[in-house]
Amino acid sequence: MNMSDLVADTSTLEQVFTGGRWLEGPCWLPQTNTLRFSDVIGNRVWDYDPAAKESTVHSESPDHVNGRTIDLDGAVVQCSHGGRRLERDVDGDISVIVDHWQEYRFNAPNDVVVSSDGSIWFTDPAYGIIYPEEGHPGKREYCDHWVFRITPQGRLTVALTDVVEPNGLAFSPDESLLYVADSAALNREGVFERHHIRRYLIDDWRVKAGEDFVEVSPGVPDGIKVDEHGNVWSSCLDGVVIYSPEAEEIGRIPVPEKVGNLCFGGIEGTDLYIAASTSIYRIPTLTRDCRRVSGRA
């Protein structure tokens, strides 16, 4: 597969929103045909309507919400840096899904995905407690950064412990593989210790055979998505980079700002929305999110 199979040569990047401080968590809402996204530092949640070409504030002072996804019932599941918890947003009515593992508070849940059985998987790095502008100062109460799973029965389990700083996550089209971005911090020499996407085999609730899938550069991978062909679309410092299921780089989409996250959206599901520092960008593609094809998004 070539880049021209995924993004037409005539497609151009369009800025559809600007003025944020650190934009994250883009998620297409099929019920309203709008894009929801967070300004984590600005502490707002926005809805963008592409038909009207207008953005409106969905929530003022949501306590530094970051990533989000759609639950099987259509509700929005979102990660609260400030609240150190996972939340459900139903038409602006916020309820807590979970905020502790055993007796320990989470660090700052960052990104989330729902699998076809209704399980909720989310990452828990520490950005919201170590960067005051992204949440509130705090400590790592369980002293690490893990990936958690909530079963369809509501039981919280630890899914992964071998990622240094887990960030974005996404399933392959058949959900036999889980990809997790490792966005580790700089070491003392100013070099990124880990800037990989990890890949795992999924066998029911068991996560096995973790391996480095690709090393992303420049910068680190943050948000990731998988398209209907199984290709992995990852943010990086200067744009979006696309890898085949065989870990071969297919191509890149340059973006004039540091990219944090991305999602597919639009009525046909073929528009790629990119959250990049202060702005939201859109570019038409020739593919869709694998979850859209399966009816899970």
Side-chain angles (χ1 to χ4, degrees):
M1 179 168 286
N2 298 316
M3 188 64 177
S4 59
D5 298 317
L6 299 175
V7 181
D9 295 338
T10 55
S11 293
T12 57
L13 193 70
E14 175 190 10
Q15 184 187 69
V16 299
F17 174 90
T18 193
R21 296 181 62 190
W22 177 243
L23 300 184
E24 259 281 10
C27 179
W28 183 257
L29 309 184
Q31 304 96 319
T32 56
N33 287 323
T34 56
L35 180 79
R36 183 162 295 171
F37 59 95
S38 299
D39 186 346
V40 180
I41 296 177
N43 201 20
R44 281 182 172 179
V45 173
W46 291 85
D47 286 335
Y48 170 69
D49 182 348
K53 298 184 178 180
E54 293 179 349
S55 295
T56 57
V57 175
H58 170 73
S59 177
E60 292 272 12
S61 302
D63 213 359
H64 306 280
V65 168
N66 196 310
R68 57 178 51 79
T69 192
I70 302 295
D71 209 344
L72 298 188
D73 62 2
V76 175
V77 177
Q78 62 189 27
C79 300
S80 173
H81 273 194
R84 301 176 70 162
R85 66 193 194 185
L86 203 65
E87 302 174 337
R88 181 170 282 108
D89 181 342
V90 180
D91 298 326
D93 183 15
I94 306 298
S95 59
V96 178
I97 299 173
V98 66
D99 59 3
H100 282 72
W101 176 74
Q102 297 183 357
E103 70 269 30
Y104 307 107
R105 285 185 300 172
F106 298 122
N107 300 316
N110 184 277
D111 210 348
V112 58
V113 66
V114 176
S115 52
S116 59
D117 68 347
S119 294
I120 302 173
W121 303 67
F122 65 98
T123 57
D124 189 37
Y127 305 126
I129 58 175
I130 62 175
Y131 300 123
E133 68 274 14
E134 292 193 23
H136 309 292
K139 66 178 182 178
R140 299 170 177 86
E141 295 192 4
Y142 65 90
C143 302
D144 209 339
H145 314 112
W146 292 343
V147 178
F148 292 91
R149 175 186 181 234
I150 304 173
T151 70
Q153 295 74 35
R155 183 167 67 93
L156 178 68
T157 63
V158 178
L160 283 173
T161 63
D162 66 345
V163 182
V164 179
E165 288 189 10
N167 202 325
L169 70 173
F171 282 102
S172 63
D174 63 0
E175 296 187 348
S176 65
L177 300 170
L178 175 67
Y179 297 92
V180 182
D182 192 341
S183 308
L186 297 171
N187 64 19
R188 293 180 181 177
E189 288 73 41
V191 177
F192 287 110
E193 293 177 332
R194 295 286 301 170
H195 47 116
H196 293 70
I197 296 174
R198 298 271 292 166
R199 180 171 62 185
Y200 301 84
L201 296 176
I202 302 297
D203 178 14
D204 190 17
W205 57 269
R206 295 173 292 272
V207 183
K208 300 287 186 179
E211 62 180 355
D212 286 346
F213 173 62
V214 292
E215 180 178 293
V216 176
S217 64
V220 299
D222 190 330
I224 55 176
K225 292 294 182 288
V226 176
D227 70 20
E228 59 189 313
H229 309 292
N231 302 311
V232 179
W233 298 57
S234 175
S235 61
C236 66
L237 182 62
D238 61 359
V240 175
V241 57
I242 307 158
Y243 301 97
S244 73
E246 294 74 38
E248 298 173 345
E249 184 175 321
I250 297 174
R252 292 175 179 256
I253 301 171
V255 179
E257 301 182 66
K258 178 181 178 180
V259 175
N261 211 329
L262 62 152
C263 76
F264 288 94
I267 294 177
E268 300 299 324
T270 56
D271 289 336
L272 183 70
Y273 285 93
I274 303 168
S277 299
T278 68
S279 304
I280 298 291
Y281 295 88
R282 177 178 59 196
I283 188 169
T285 77
L286 302 173
T287 187
R288 295 181 293 174
D289 191 309
C290 65
R291 297 173 57 77
R292 182 70 171 261
V293 175
S294 65
R296 299 195 304 276

